[in-house]
Amino acid sequence: MWEPRTRREAEEACFALNYNLIHVTPPVRDKMENAWQFLNDNGNSTLQLTIEFWANHSQDNSRSKGQIQYDKFPSTYHPSALCVKIVYEVHNTRFGWVPSDCDDQTAKAGTCCNQGVLYKDHYKALLVLKKNNWYAADHICKQEGGTLFDLSNQIMQFIKVYFDIPPWEEEKYFSYVTEFWSALSVKESQDLEMCTLSRVIRPQPAVLQIESHLDSCEKAKHMAICMKPTGRQFFYGYLKNIFLAENTVFLNTTSIEKTTTECIEECNGFNKVGVTCMGFNFDTRSSTCRHFEDTITREYRYDPSLSIALYLALPITRMYSYIITYGSSK
């Protein structure tokens, strides 16, 4: 929404979409710079293009209204403070900001809304213990309104990493839930007699991995995991003794003791004011949390001696949400 608006109009436009004005943190600036690289004229000094938009920052009266600033972006917000307009200079590839009276009807800029955390479908996993060939397993999943586990699906891929206790690690299931049918891919379709089989491997206790190989679609019999979409939902996945390795994406450090519930509420609070919070590290010894933004495809490290646990905002339920058994499991 880049048509010129006043600060109040821009905020109302975002509110109408159930969003908020964006808060320009360093990762947000990096993403915008990458997205706008094509606008640069590769050294043509005649280009003076700037992109201006309102953001969810404010500034006290220590700065002069209308003058562009290039130092530290203000991060606090107060209703009586000056509002902030972000200016990106395409040729110089740098961001600046301009303090402005929030009620100034002549100060106009584009509108940039933060959509919070967006999720794809929320899945419930159905574990089919009875061994069937691929066609029967596929039919059962479709009857249940779902599909076979798909290694090519990004959301389903998260399951193999982001759960500390999948169903096959339950003692009564672990002895036989090691392989299950999964969805076909383009590569497998070249051989109509062979279908995809997923195998569970565990190099480390809390870092589950799944690899795939082929077996006869009709003759071989295995268990199956059906993934049934159940709508869009916000959910926190928990990984014990795993922590985010890249410090550059942390929003802040909470030094006051908190419960994990309070950390979740604080993370949700970031999203409500235009700062994307994707989860947090929680130190169980000090009861403190460090929130982080950006995507959930960052580097993670595992150490059983750590007191730090990682909480991620994920759109999927635990694999053992409930179990459907068709006949005997033998």
Side-chain angles (χ1 to χ4, degrees):
M1 298 185 290
W2 296 106
E3 62 270 25
R5 288 188 173 97
T6 66
R7 171 60 169 76
R8 301 298 187 190
E9 291 171 341
E11 187 174 46
E12 289 172 0
C14 290
F15 285 163
L17 299 172
N18 200 28
Y19 302 149
N20 206 319
L21 284 173
I22 195 167
H23 190 98
V24 184
T25 57
V28 169
R29 292 203 293 272
D30 290 343
K31 287 183 177 181
M32 287 183 170
E33 285 178 350
N34 292 335
W36 292 336
Q37 277 184 346
F38 73 96
L39 295 175
N40 199 307
D41 67 339
N42 296 318
N44 185 351
S45 59
T46 62
L47 181 63
Q48 300 297 327
L49 178 63
T50 60
I51 298 173
E52 299 183 358
F53 58 93
W54 295 108
N56 194 31
H57 301 258
S58 61
Q59 177 61 41
D60 59 32
N61 294 326
S62 63
R63 302 283 181 144
S64 301
K65 290 189 294 184
Q67 293 186 7
I68 192 167
Q69 316 285 332
Y70 295 102
D71 56 358
K72 184 178 179 181
F73 274 56
S75 58
T76 58
Y77 178 78
H78 190 278
S80 62
L82 295 176
C83 291
V84 169
K85 179 171 58 176
I86 305 297
V87 179
Y88 178 68
E89 299 173 351
V90 175
H91 179 60
N92 296 323
T93 62
R94 64 178 179 178
F95 281 91
W97 56 278
V98 178
S100 176
D101 185 342
C102 297
D103 294 316
D104 186 350
Q105 296 298 305
T106 63
K108 295 188 176 183
T111 306
C112 191
C113 304
N114 185 300
Q115 298 173 318
V117 183
L118 298 181
Y119 298 116
K120 297 184 180 179
D121 285 332
H122 174 92
Y123 289 96
K124 192 175 287 287
L126 312 179
L127 176 61
V128 181
L129 297 180
K130 183 179 179 180
K131 295 181 180 180
N132 298 284
N133 64 26
W134 188 91
Y135 299 107
D138 183 58
H139 178 69
I140 289 171
C141 288
K142 289 177 179 177
Q143 278 189 319
E144 293 295 330
T147 60
L148 286 170
F149 183 88
D150 187 355
L151 280 171
S152 65
N153 182 297
Q154 185 182 27
I155 297 299
M156 295 186 193
Q157 276 275 25
F158 290 148
I159 292 169
K160 74 179 185 180
V161 176
Y162 294 128
F163 291 104
D164 51 332
I165 310 177
W168 42 79
E169 291 192 8
E170 298 264 330
E171 184 177 353
K172 61 181 178 179
Y173 300 128
F174 181 71
S175 60
Y176 46 78
V177 184
T178 56
E179 293 183 324
F180 52 91
W181 288 119
S182 52
L184 291 170
S185 67
V186 176
K187 183 177 68 174
E188 281 83 46
S189 66
Q190 297 174 2
D191 189 341
L192 299 179
E193 295 184 358
M194 302 297 287
C195 290
T196 310
L197 186 67
S198 293
R199 176 182 293 138
V200 178
I201 55 177
R202 296 170 59 209
Q204 299 181 72
V207 184
L208 178 72
Q209 293 188 15
I210 299 175
E211 63 179 11
S212 63
H213 58 102
L214 302 178
D215 207 342
S216 171
C217 298
E218 189 170 357
K219 296 178 181 179
K221 292 188 176 182
H222 301 279
M223 289 174 289
I225 292 179
C226 303
M227 301 303 294
K228 182 179 179 180
T230 57
R232 299 171 186 271
Q233 185 173 336
F234 186 80
F235 173 78
Y236 267 84
Y238 165 58
L239 295 110
K240 187 177 181 181
N241 297 330
I242 295 181
F243 67 101
L244 188 69
E246 186 174 338
N247 286 328
T248 58
V249 297
F250 282 103
L251 292 167
N252 75 337
T253 301
T254 303
S255 58
I256 303 174
E257 287 192 12
K258 292 180 179 292
T259 64
T260 55
T261 299
E262 290 172 326
C263 292
I264 290 173
E265 291 174 352
E266 193 171 17
C267 188
N268 289 334
F270 277 114
N271 288 315
K272 290 178 181 178
V273 297
V275 183
T276 300
C277 179
M278 297 301 298
F280 56 91
N281 276 350
F282 186 78
D283 192 323
T284 55
R285 286 179 298 194
S286 61
S287 296
T288 56
C289 48
R290 296 182 68 198
H291 300 86
F292 57 90
E293 63 177 326
D294 217 311
T295 65
I296 52 180
T297 55
R298 292 285 173 178
E299 179 185 355
Y300 305 101
R301 293 180 182 172
Y302 170 75
D303 187 341
S305 66
L306 286 174
S307 65
I308 295 175
L310 177 63
Y311 286 76
L312 290 175
L314 294 176
I316 44 185
T317 58
R318 293 183 181 274
M319 292 284 288
Y320 53 84
S321 297
Y322 62 88
I323 298 170
I324 292 182
T325 304
Y326 295 93
S328 171
S329 61
K330 303 297 184 181

